[in-house]
Amino acid sequence: MGIEHIPFVGRSVERVEDAGLLSGRGRYIDDLGTKPGTLHAAILRSPHAHADIVEIDAAAALALPGIAAVITGRDLLDITAGLVPAVRAAVDARAVAVDRVRYVGEPVAVVLGSDRYVAEDGCDLIEVAYRPRPAVVDPLAALAPDAPILHDGVGANQVSDRAFRYGDPEAAFGRAKHTLSVTVRYPRNTGCPMETYGVVAEYDAADDSYDVLANFQGPFSIHAVLARALKVPGNRLRLRTPPDSGGSFGVKQGVAPYAVLIAAAARRVGRPVKWVEDRLEHLAASVSATNRVTTLTAAFDDAGRVEALDWDQVEDCGAYLRAPEPATLYRMHGNMTGAYAIRNVRMRNRVVLTNKTPTGLVRGFGGPQVYYPLERLMQRIAVTLGLDPLEVIRRNLIPADAFPYRTATGALYDSGNYQHALDVAARDGGLAELVRRRAEARAAGRLYGIGYTAAVEPSVSNMGYITTVLTAAERAKAGPKNGAQATATITLDPVGAVTVQVASVPQGQGHRTVLAQVVADVFGIGLDQVRVTADLDTAKDAWSIASGNYSSRFAAAVAGVAHQAALRLREKLAAVAAAQLNLRADDLVFAGGRVGSRTNPDASLPFARVAATAHWSPGLLPDMDGAPIRETAFWTPPQLTAPDEADAVNSSLCHGFIFDFCGVEIDPVTGKIAIDRYVTMHDCGRILHPGMVEGQVRGGFAQALGAAVYEELAYGADGAFLSGTLADYLLPTATEMPELTVLHVESPSPFTPLGAKGVGEGNCMSTPVCLANAVADALSLEAIDLPLTPAKLAALAAGRDEPAPPAGRAGQGAPSRGSKPGDRTMRGEGSARVAAPPEAVWAMLLDPEVLASVIPGAHGVRKRSDTHFTAEVTLGVGPVKGRYKADIRLSDLDPPRAATLAGTVTGALGNGGGSGRITLTPEGPGTRIGYAYEAAVGGKVAAVGGRLLDGAARVIIGGFFAALARRAGGGATAPGLLRRLLARLGITR
């Protein structure tokens, strides 16, 4: 019997990454050293959603020791260009604003200092004068003729409007017995990775080139965009990635404009520059998933079989259309019928701009926005007809004998048996028991529902799908774009060790482990003999414009091409060993660390000896094409063609299948969702590493749970950002995660080298709508939008409309004095009794020394007139602390009975304004001080979040009046208590 090798692929081997990561030896971008003289950057950002930049005064910042430069958008006009979008529109998308800001958090200036701390101090000292403009944040409102226009050159906020038709939808709707529509407003969310953006950039004036290190995910189509924005040829932009990256979920594709900004700043000052984003910046101004308004209409018969779909989609891409957007809208173009055999489709896609952060790629991009309306529609059809939702799903599924299946909109589904997956999930997931539990819960008067979702998970994107946004004539003029490409290089060193290099930067998925498994199996060696490097250097490594780690392409494309490269190298090594063993090459087997006869174990050589031959004894090599030292393979699947004349496109190569069902119970008082059971069935083709597939499924579910129940990047009607901390942008933790039942069937893909498909994004697509369908079932709802917050569900359970947001979250009512667009308004009232008579209290209100002692954070008060005062004030709310200029005025005087105290503050971190009506009422020998205030804050301070900010404002403003009462000889609020309240809220004075 010959030598044998037990395959690694298909087993949950120990991850090779974990030893370093779990022992704290990961090498992330902030861990890597920098050259001497490197400057550190801090970015000054706009507090306004929409405003003209009137003046930037950086004199005070430049006078601060340690500050090397303050760079504005105008300073970079000669060395940078705009970031080119995928849609031709007169939108100048710069890395830093020039004359106008269009979203809260947009960069206005970059400060370069000897360290990050002094750079941040420099930001605080810059004074920017803005002229606010009206803002628009609702995508439908942005379409209105009278909406504020973001980009004058476009003349409207709509930058693309495309209509599509497949089959004969008009005839199908004309003959349909039933039609039904759902309208969905899908909210914004983000990936919120543990590690934020980071860039280290250097400019070499000798050859006009840039060296940029960034924790950039790709895709590397953006490399061309960056080079153009920096006005250099592609070979003058070296883009490198660190060895490790702390998560991405697609979001780190959005580091691109910061790579341009920091690189240009390095050129301007002639020194390397480093910038690492903080969490506040990341939430407010990185990228988010698109929010989309969709109206989906179906034509169907009495049995619930759908004949046609009509999609009307309005995509909100934020203030600028940054490449690769509108990718989120078109990535699913071939999959608009989901898992269903629907042959007639009508579609309208509109892309609009609003005063919100520009969007980008977020895990599952495009999928949640499609499957939420589609699967809500399938449930609504079932309810309307009085049918079981599962039966309606089953009746519409693509037949098992139809694969490979071409959808109406052009996708080529590679393999699957959806009916079998449903049967296995229902059997092994205990669906019958769940139905029985629902009946028992409802009989007891409890709110219990079951939700279902069937979804197709695309992977390995056809880079030509984005050109579907263009007409056929425009595509012909621009030239063909299509396909996908993956690259891998395998190198043998002089002692026979194997090194694998791929152009796919991992963010924690376990690339190195799977690649080691694949290559070790080909060569029949141990995992420890294979070393994988996945950090990329575009100046040295093999890559293509389609390279990168996105759209779940690793297992199918990257691992597959590594397998191909290894096979090619093995074929050459077999020829080398055959010559030395006097055997035929096709009689050899690679196993057990040796190369030898299939039947005679004595006729073999160590793999290391054979692999090292080309280094040590090139004269022994048989005649072959190239020495067996290094092999680079490029893989391009032929199925990914360009969109055709009719706009049909196979937008992805592989198509997995997901079927989820769940049972949830809703507390009628609190509105809290309890997930009783969640079952998720996946067909991701051949499973390469079961443990990591399980981790991908569970991680995707956790992210989807957040999107469904907790997370929303919320904006006020005026563009104020309302989710600026993790106190307001809530993420699920381990305590919120239910136990999952994860099931699998395998239908290997005939289109990929290893038969694998993607699996990392599926639950981000399927879980939000599965939970929503369960909630709708429990509460008998016709419509429900995300997130499924307890307040929303409690109101719905009680039969009421959704409650209004808390005071201050959306700037309800008339604006306060001194407020501006983008501000957040808060209100409160209180009283305190003092021993002094009203006349004495009145005199205090006009005394600068008294005001200085009672205004929180005041450094001193200067009297401009009897009723006008100015002051320097330092205030902090949670993690945000800054210095402000305050202007305070007394008006509506009724001495000594009443007065209005109004003030405004301005500073680098934002703006604020408010007024309080003070009443002085005699009460015995003393005075009752009553006050009612209204205050508004904007900018970075406003973004710290409603829960933190509203409480802080009440304590600060209430503290002012309590301090005034104490100076007057009384008051119910003791100084110690006030200090403790301030400390609990993270407020410093």
Side-chain angles (χ1 to χ4, degrees):
M1 186 174 182
I3 52 179
E4 295 183 1
H5 174 76
I6 300 174
F8 294 110
V9 171
R11 291 194 285 141
S12 297
V13 300
E14 184 176 343
R15 293 192 355 151
V16 301
E17 295 90 347
D18 288 348
L21 296 179
L22 296 178
S23 60
R25 294 182 174 87
R27 291 178 296 154
Y28 302 90
I29 192 166
D30 205 27
D31 298 322
L32 305 180
T34 56
K35 291 183 177 180
T38 297
L39 296 172
H40 296 261
I43 297 173
L44 178 67
R45 298 178 182 274
S46 167
H48 299 282
H50 200 189
D52 295 315
I53 301 173
V54 178
E55 182 184 13
I56 301 176
D57 183 355
L62 290 169
L64 185 68
I67 296 297
V70 175
I71 298 172
T72 67
R74 289 199 164 276
D75 296 327
L76 302 180
L77 284 176
D78 59 331
I79 60 172
T80 63
L83 294 154
V84 179
V87 174
R88 291 189 179 275
V91 175
D92 191 15
R94 297 275 173 169
V96 58
V98 179
D99 297 316
R100 188 165 160 189
V101 293
R102 294 176 173 87
Y103 64 94
V104 172
E106 181 169 5
V108 173
V110 57
V111 180
L112 307 181
S114 56
D115 57 48
R116 178 62 178 266
Y117 304 98
V118 72
E120 292 282 359
D121 289 342
C123 283
D124 292 345
L125 295 176
I126 298 175
E127 295 187 15
V128 184
Y130 296 96
R131 184 185 301 115
R133 290 173 174 253
V136 60
V137 296
D138 181 87
L140 297 185
L143 292 171
D146 60 347
I149 302 300
L150 271 72
H151 299 275
D152 298 335
V154 180
N157 295 320
Q158 179 177 287
V159 294
S160 177
D161 186 353
R162 290 278 281 128
F164 305 92
R165 181 180 175 277
Y166 306 93
D168 193 350
E170 293 80 13
F173 274 99
R175 64 175 176 264
K177 289 188 175 181
H178 307 278
T179 62
L180 188 148
S181 297
V182 297
T183 297
V184 169
R185 286 179 169 267
Y186 203 89
R188 286 185 167 220
N189 53 38
T190 187
C192 209
M194 195 172 293
E195 179 198 38
T196 56
Y197 293 168
V199 179
V200 182
E202 184 176 2
Y203 175 72
D204 185 347
D207 64 352
D208 188 27
S209 65
Y210 292 93
D211 186 330
V212 178
L213 173 71
N215 51 12
F216 184 49
Q217 179 177 345
F220 288 96
S221 58
I222 305 300
H223 184 276
V225 175
L226 299 182
R228 182 168 177 174
L230 289 167
K231 296 185 176 182
V232 293
N235 62 0
R236 304 288 183 180
L237 172 60
R238 180 185 186 186
L239 182 62
R240 297 179 293 118
T241 63
D244 293 302
S245 179
S248 171
F249 316 112
V251 173
K252 281 181 179 163
Q253 175 272 335
V255 78
Y258 293 104
V260 173
L261 176 59
I262 301 305
R267 176 175 179 173
R268 188 54 75 206
V269 297
R271 293 167 63 179
V273 177
K274 177 179 180 178
W275 170 75
V276 175
E277 183 184 52
D278 66 35
R279 180 60 60 186
L280 293 175
E281 291 180 289
H282 188 80
L283 283 169
S286 57
V287 295
S288 73
T290 59
N291 55 292
R292 184 182 301 175
V293 181
T294 301
T295 296
L296 176 60
T297 306
F300 55 98
D301 62 18
D302 290 335
R305 293 187 179 89
V306 178
E307 296 291 331
L309 293 174
D310 184 299
W311 291 87
D312 187 330
Q313 302 183 106
V314 178
E315 186 87 331
D316 178 1
C317 286
Y320 301 96
L321 197 63
R322 288 180 179 161
E325 291 287 43
T328 307
L329 182 58
Y330 284 91
R331 184 219 180 173
M332 302 291 294
H333 198 82
N335 309 105
M336 300 305 291
T337 53
Y340 307 119
I342 302 170
R343 303 309 307 169
N344 304 293
V345 179
R346 188 166 56 206
M347 197 183 319
R348 185 184 185 189
N349 289 347
R350 285 173 284 176
V351 179
V352 301
L353 304 181
T354 63
N355 292 108
K356 291 183 285 194
T357 307
T359 60
L361 310 185
V362 176
R363 192 177 192 174
F365 71 101
Q369 293 91 336
V370 165
Y371 287 122
Y372 196 93
L374 181 59
E375 294 303 299
R376 286 290 301 124
L377 182 69
M378 300 304 285
Q379 193 212 45
R380 291 295 308 138
I381 289 172
V383 172
T384 300
L385 297 175
L387 300 174
D388 180 356
L390 181 58
E391 187 56 33
V392 171
I393 289 174
R394 190 184 297 274
R395 289 173 183 174
N396 284 285
L397 289 175
I398 297 167
D401 60 359
F403 292 92
Y405 175 83
R406 182 75 69 176
T407 70
T409 53
L412 183 62
Y413 289 3
D414 42 342
S415 62
N417 186 331
Y418 301 167
Q419 292 80 3
H420 173 63
L422 256 68
D423 292 340
V424 173
R427 181 195 68 206
D428 296 351
L431 178 58
E433 178 192 355
L434 205 61
V435 171
R436 184 174 62 253
R437 287 159 77 162
R438 178 178 61 181
E440 292 172 353
R442 290 183 173 179
R446 307 202 314 269
L447 300 175
Y448 194 106
I450 295 177
Y452 303 93
T453 299
V456 170
E457 179 179 3
S459 53
V460 189
S461 288
N462 176 358
M463 69 177 178
Y465 75 81
I466 188 57
T467 64
T468 315
V469 71
L470 306 175
T471 65
E474 289 170 332
R475 291 195 296 268
K477 184 178 180 180
K481 292 181 177 62
N482 68 280
Q485 195 168 75
T487 65
T489 299
I490 299 180
T491 306
L492 304 177
D493 72 10
V495 294
V498 180
T499 299
V500 182
Q501 169 67 43
V502 294
S504 179
V505 181
Q507 281 82 37
Q509 300 96 323
H511 286 13
R512 291 170 55 204
T513 299
V514 174
L515 290 169
Q517 288 178 278
V518 169
V519 173
D521 278 353
V522 171
F523 292 136
I525 57 179
L527 290 177
D528 58 349
Q529 291 178 257
V530 181
R531 184 174 185 271
V532 179
T533 59
D535 46 316
L536 188 85
D537 184 338
T538 60
K540 297 180 179 180
D541 299 322
W543 62 281
S544 80
I545 200 169
S547 298
N549 176 24
Y550 60 100
S551 74
S552 295
R553 65 196 306 274
F554 171 74
V558 179
V561 75
H563 183 259
Q564 288 188 339
L567 288 176
R568 292 180 191 176
L569 200 53
R570 187 179 72 178
E571 184 178 355
K572 294 180 179 180
L573 292 176
V576 173
Q580 296 183 34
L581 293 170
N582 198 25
L583 295 170
R584 294 194 316 167
D586 55 6
D587 287 338
L588 296 178
V589 63
F590 287 66
R594 302 184 70 81
V595 184
S597 169
R598 294 181 183 277
T599 57
N600 181 9
D602 294 328
S604 66
L605 293 170
F607 171 83
R609 177 176 167 180
V610 177
T613 301
H615 288 281
W616 296 104
S617 303
L620 293 179
L621 297 178
D623 186 26
M624 62 176 62
D625 181 18
I629 292 177
R630 184 183 182 98
E631 189 74 33
T632 297
F634 293 84
W635 176 72
T636 301
Q639 294 83 7
L640 297 183
T641 56
D644 65 18
E645 290 289 323
D647 293 316
V649 60
N650 185 25
S651 40
S652 295
L653 177 68
C654 306
H655 299 87
F657 178 67
I658 311 159
F659 174 64
D660 290 0
F661 65 88
C662 66
V664 306
E665 184 168 349
I666 301 170
D667 188 306
V669 176
T670 67
K672 182 179 179 181
I673 295 177
I675 301 176
D676 185 31
R677 179 179 298 176
Y678 198 101
V679 177
T680 181
M681 159 63 76
H682 289 259
D683 177 359
C684 60
R686 184 186 179 195
I687 295 175
L688 306 183
H689 189 295
M692 278 194 272
V693 168
E694 181 94 356
Q696 287 290 319
V697 171
R698 293 182 181 276
F701 175 85
Q703 195 159 349
L705 177 64
V709 181
Y710 303 103
E711 300 177 36
E712 181 180 11
L713 293 171
Y715 289 80
D718 51 12
F721 182 56
L722 307 180
S723 307
T725 72
L726 296 181
D728 279 83
Y729 188 81
L730 300 181
L731 296 170
T733 68
T735 58
E736 283 79 48
M737 276 286 289
E739 182 56 42
L740 297 183
T741 299
V742 182
L743 303 172
H744 294 281
V745 295
E746 293 185 60
S747 61
S749 173
F751 299 161
T752 66
L754 295 171
K757 308 178 187 183
V759 71
E761 301 174 85
N763 281 97
C764 287
M765 303 178 185
S766 63
T767 294
V769 67
C770 188
L771 291 172
N773 279 339
V775 168
D777 182 47
L779 299 178
S780 299
L781 300 175
E782 291 188 4
I784 181 72
D785 280 341
L786 302 180
L788 307 171
T789 60
K792 178 186 292 184
L793 298 189
L796 292 171
R800 304 189 305 269
D801 291 332
E802 183 178 349
R809 288 188 60 78
Q812 301 293 323
S816 65
R817 180 176 296 183
S819 67
K820 301 180 180 68
D823 290 352
R824 171 184 279 162
T825 303
M826 294 151 291
R827 299 173 179 84
E829 59 184 24
S831 66
R833 186 183 182 283
V834 300
E839 291 78 8
V841 178
W842 183 265
M844 291 180 182
L845 291 175
L846 303 178
D847 186 338
E849 293 185 5
V850 174
L851 290 176
S853 68
V854 299
I855 294 175
H859 301 293
V861 176
R862 289 201 296 174
K863 185 175 182 178
R864 302 296 186 180
S865 72
D866 288 343
T867 58
H868 182 198
F869 306 88
T870 58
E872 293 284 332
V873 181
T874 298
L875 289 174
V877 181
V880 182
K881 184 177 181 179
R883 190 180 184 96
Y884 302 88
K885 290 184 176 180
D887 188 274
I888 305 157
R889 297 175 186 268
L890 289 169
S891 62
D892 301 328
L893 305 181
D894 181 17
R897 300 296 184 183
T900 296
L901 178 66
T904 60
V905 294
T906 57
L909 296 180
N911 54 74
S915 62
R917 185 64 175 172
I918 305 170
T919 58
L920 307 177
T921 305
E923 191 174 276
T927 302
R928 171 67 60 180
I929 303 177
Y931 58 88
Y933 68 83
E934 181 182 276
V937 293
K940 193 171 183 180
V941 172
V944 301
R947 294 172 179 82
L948 186 61
L949 186 64
D950 293 352
R954 290 184 174 91
V955 170
I956 290 175
I957 297 173
F960 166 79
F961 290 107
L964 180 63
R966 290 196 302 276
R967 281 296 300 263
T973 305
L977 175 59
L978 178 60
R979 283 197 298 271
R980 289 195 294 273
L981 286 171
L982 292 169
R984 289 289 298 275
L985 287 166
I987 302 165
T988 58
R989 289 186 58 185

